[in-house]
Amino acid sequence: MAEIRFEKPTNKDIELLYATVQVARDAMKAGNHPFGALLADKDGNILLTQGNDSRGGSPCLHAETNLMIRAGREFSPEFLATCTMYTNFEPCAMCTGAMYWTNVRRLVFGLPESRLLALTGAHEENPTLDLPCDVVLSHGQKNMVIVGPVDDPALAEAILADHRTFWN
């Protein structure tokens, strides 16, 4: 079984989470759901960014899954093991699985999926699974690091602002 280690966010982690908020905002401006993700190397350099593609013809085109598909095409599994995926909300089971299969071993997320469910309710475009990412990853064979949810009220407000606008 995997070892899941939980860490506190660094200042760089917080900075990069704010970058996911901007990616999500750009996705929303393009008519998509306001989710944003990015991949950073071990030094915190942004390698790839990806917004949600809810208008792309499939409900599976989540920001994190699309990001991991791109990352898996561009980088080796060995390199990806040293990288971090950042996302404004906790990734769903599908996106967590994509991260696992792509071999990214560190995840930083802003708000928990339970907070998203409380905000969106039974919205038909967001049938949230109540399956936390640590539960998904604990059933794997890889050691993983999770940072999140991040306790930063200003960050939480920045993330929630777009979602309140979008889902209402």
Side-chain angles (χ1 to χ4, degrees), residues 9-152:
T10 65
N11 289 337
K12 187 66 171 180
D13 289 334
I14 301 290
E15 176 187 324
L16 291 172
L17 282 172
Y18 274 103
T20 69
V21 173
Q22 186 57 53
V23 173
R25 186 164 292 139
D26 292 343
M28 184 177 74
K29 287 177 183 174
N32 293 296
H33 299 163
F35 297 99
L38 66 83
L39 180 71
D41 67 16
K42 64 182 175 156
D43 297 318
N45 299 305
I46 297 173
L47 304 171
L48 299 170
T49 64
Q50 180 67 54
N52 190 283
D53 188 12
S54 51
R55 296 171 37 117
S58 171
C60 296
L61 299 177
H62 293 190
E64 301 90 342
T65 293
N66 280 345
L67 180 72
M68 291 297 99
I69 290 168
R70 291 175 56 210
R73 289 178 176 152
E74 293 188 34
F75 304 106
S76 73
E78 295 78 21
F79 176 73
L80 288 170
T82 68
C83 293
T84 301
M85 181 172 75
Y86 292 83
T87 182
N88 58 340
F89 267 99
E90 178 177 14
C92 72
M94 174 184 70
C95 294
T96 301
M99 185 184 113
Y100 176 85
W101 286 108
T102 306
N103 207 36
V104 173
R105 303 291 183 96
R106 185 170 185 265
L107 167 66
V108 179
F109 67 90
L111 294 177
E113 191 163 12
S114 60
R115 192 92 182 257
L116 180 63
L117 178 59
L119 183 66
T120 63
H123 196 288
E124 67 182 34
E125 290 184 29
N126 193 51
T128 304
L129 288 169
D130 185 15
L131 187 56
C133 63
D134 62 307
V135 173
V136 174
L137 293 172
S138 71
H139 291 276
Q141 300 173 31
K142 300 174 183 181
N143 295 333
M144 307 293 279
V145 174
I146 298 174
V147 179
V150 173
D151 184 20
D152 181 308

